[in-house]
Amino acid sequence: MEATAAPSRHAQGCAASPPSGQEEKSPPERSVYMDYNATTPLEPAVVQAVTEAMREAWGNPSSPHPAGRKAKDVINAARESVAKMIGASVQDIVFTSGGTESNNWVLHSVVTHFHKTHASEGDVAKRPGPAEGAMPHIVTCTVEHDSIRLPLERMVERGEAEVTFVPVSPASGRVEADDVLAAVRPATCLVTIMLANNETGVVMPVPEISRRVRALNRARAACGRPAALLHSDAAQALGKRRVDVQDLDVDLLTIVGHKFYGPRIGALYVRGLGERTPLYPVLFGGGQERSFRPGTENTPMIAGLGKAAELVTETCEADEAHMRGVRDYLEERLLAEFGKKKIHLNSQFPGTERLPNTCNFSFLGPQLQGRAVLAQCRVLQASVGAACHSDHGDQPSPVLLSCGIPFDVARNALRLSVGRHTSRAEVDLAVQDLRQAVARLGGLDGPASGV
């Protein structure tokens, strides 16, 4: 499947014969899509799964008759595929509307559980314990997605929780386990660290953090104190690298379908759902999803998510190798075309693992802000960072600033993220388009080194 955008109605209309007396328009230029960290197109097999479910599994999954049982079977099969993708038990998967819901749900649940647990133990302020003043504490990092950061900031504003935002290291671009552990308090009820950053592609040391928090929890248990739960937002990692909840040793994991060629729904993994790991519903209704998330299930989208997960399980290793090769070729071409004096690679940190598909870089020059460059591009479709920050003007990415990237460099950043079908020929087209865009902005003083 070619990684190109579908032509718009206007573009399609250009191919028709023009009205008499009007000059014929040239066909639209081919586009090259390199914004896979924002969203991915549906794979044909996923579209087929969605379509078949719409046609054949239209019954209410809670109904006992054949139409309902057919829909329930489709949902059960999808749940199995999602669980297999991450090495989980089937009963530990709950379907959600997407990553934002999953992340908010985790935060709501741990704070609710903290208050319920300590309210049942009496007035915490009058006895020695892990939570003086009954205030739950959460540890996270400064480069988390807004669906973690914003609800946590809201909880702090409302006096519902205390939060420590651990900075990432400018040397590695990642949050370090030592710093996370140093932030843990007796009242800490959750440590939530993303598996991979959406802008830099940096992979966080979640397994090491989990191992050390588990050791801390064993010491807590010996003193009769509750454990701190572990959560990771795996939205950007799934489909790009192997993700296994046993290796990560997390209690909760966020899954987002549209990041791995599935529909715009998601799921939440909860280890020992409702028993080992507490989960509190925010909706109440007909009892679907074992009453954790009631509401008649969206069978077609769940079927699509299951098929996308199945494809990840089958092809992830090959996809990872392909994307890494294309991404490395992209960075080689950028350096060859523009030279090191004109390009800064923002996501390369010595010794730090990163996603195989992500290239974050800046053109160096006062007139080469990322948005200005993209506005001049005729072929390339990319972004300056997270899609949800697309209306923030020319302000530099807080993620890049947190990683130690200078202000003027961060302001010029572009994020190119390739996909499982991106070709080297498309890389060549994108680099050529970027060169022409930079030239239009007056950012080329002459032939770049290596050209």
Side-chain angles (χ1 to χ4, degrees):
M1 185 179 74
E2 285 294 322
T4 56
S8 65
R9 290 182 181 180
H10 173 73
Q12 290 171 341
C14 290
S17 299
S20 58
Q22 292 188 15
E23 188 175 322
E24 183 174 355
K25 296 179 181 179
S26 60
E29 294 183 83
R30 178 186 180 185
S31 64
V32 175
Y33 183 77
M34 288 190 177
D35 204 14
Y36 286 88
N37 283 7
T39 199
T40 53
L42 295 178
E43 284 283 10
V46 172
V47 175
Q48 182 179 352
V50 171
T51 303
E52 288 179 357
M54 286 181 171
R55 186 186 301 117
E56 301 173 9
W58 47 266
N60 189 318
S62 297
S63 298
H65 48 62
R69 290 198 300 271
K70 172 65 174 177
K72 179 63 77 174
D73 289 344
V74 168
I75 292 171
N76 288 340
R79 200 186 310 275
E80 290 180 6
S81 295
V82 172
K84 185 177 180 181
M85 175 179 65
I86 61 170
S89 298
V90 173
Q91 63 268 23
D92 291 343
I93 301 296
V94 183
F95 294 114
T96 69
S97 64
T100 294
E101 180 188 341
S102 295
N103 285 344
N104 276 258
W105 194 3
V106 168
L107 302 177
H108 162 80
S109 287
V110 295
V111 170
T112 300
H113 184 68
F114 182 96
H115 287 303
K116 282 183 175 290
T117 300
H118 292 284
S120 66
E121 295 174 355
D123 186 354
V124 178
K126 294 181 180 179
R127 64 172 175 81
E132 295 181 2
M135 183 68 74
H137 176 246
I138 296 171
V139 177
T140 188
C141 74
T142 54
V143 298
E144 293 290 323
H145 189 267
D146 279 356
S147 58
I148 289 288
R149 181 181 63 83
L150 293 178
L152 286 178
E153 290 179 351
R154 181 89 167 181
M155 286 178 174
V156 172
E157 290 173 2
R158 291 179 170 182
E160 298 169 348
E162 293 181 344
V163 180
T164 299
F165 291 91
V166 180
V168 296
S169 166
S172 65
R174 68 179 195 171
V175 65
E176 300 296 350
D178 285 346
D179 297 330
V180 172
L181 267 292
V184 173
R185 306 174 187 171
T188 301
C189 57
L190 178 72
V191 174
T192 174
I193 302 293
M194 61 175 22
L195 186 50
N197 185 263
N198 50 314
E199 294 190 39
T200 63
V202 166
V203 176
M204 303 296 175
V206 173
E208 181 184 0
I209 292 170
S210 296
R211 176 180 59 80
R212 296 181 61 178
V213 171
R214 295 290 181 207
L216 183 62
N217 282 340
R218 288 191 290 272
R220 282 185 166 194
C223 301
R225 293 178 176 177
L229 296 175
L230 292 148
H231 166 252
S232 187
D233 179 354
Q236 285 299 334
L238 284 163
K240 300 163 188 168
R241 70 190 301 273
R242 182 173 174 271
V243 175
D244 189 298
V245 292
Q246 307 307 321
D247 294 340
L248 297 174
D249 198 16
V250 292
D251 300 297
L252 305 114
L253 187 90
T254 294
I255 299 164
V256 182
H258 74 99
K259 303 296 188 181
F260 54 92
Y261 305 86
R264 290 194 174 112
I265 67 165
L268 181 64
Y269 159 77
V270 187
R271 186 193 300 270
L273 175 58
E275 297 176 1
R276 174 174 171 174
T277 305
L279 190 68
Y280 291 86
V282 293
L283 302 173
F284 299 89
Q288 294 87 351
E289 293 293 284
R290 292 158 285 172
S291 292
F292 288 108
R293 192 185 186 273
T296 304
E297 299 93 336
N298 190 344
T299 306
M301 296 299 104
I302 291 173
L305 183 69
K307 175 54 70 172
E310 183 182 322
L311 295 175
V312 168
T313 300
E314 293 173 356
T315 68
C316 186
E317 186 175 327
D319 290 342
E320 181 178 1
H322 169 76
M323 287 186 285
R324 179 173 288 106
V326 174
R327 190 272 316 276
D328 290 349
Y329 178 69
L330 168 63
E331 293 180 346
E332 291 167 4
R333 288 285 291 110
L334 287 170
L335 289 171
E337 189 71 33
F338 296 98
K340 291 184 178 180
K341 292 183 178 180
K342 185 61 69 175
I343 286 279
H344 183 269
L345 298 175
N346 300 321
S347 54
Q348 287 190 359
F349 296 91
T352 297
E353 181 186 359
R354 57 178 170 145
L355 294 175
N357 79 316
T358 305
C359 169
N360 192 307
F361 71 97
S362 297
F363 289 112
L364 303 180
Q367 73 273 47
L368 299 178
Q369 285 85 8
R371 294 181 189 279
V373 173
L374 285 180
Q376 293 293 326
C377 286
R378 308 283 176 82
V379 173
L380 176 64
Q381 297 185 51
S383 64
V384 297
C388 49
H389 292 166
S390 60
D391 60 350
H392 286 194
D394 287 330
Q395 291 300 311
S397 161
V399 169
L400 295 182
L401 294 177
S402 295
C403 293
I405 305 298
F407 184 96
D408 289 342
V409 177
R411 188 176 55 182
N412 289 14
L414 293 170
R415 182 190 68 182
L416 273 56
S417 47
V418 303
R420 61 166 59 140
H421 302 296
T422 306
S423 68
R424 294 191 176 205
E426 288 175 313
V427 168
D428 291 336
L429 286 172
V431 173
Q432 180 183 13
D433 194 30
L434 285 168
R435 180 173 178 82
Q436 293 170 351
V438 171
R440 291 186 194 102
L441 293 171
L444 292 180
D445 300 324
S449 60
V451 177

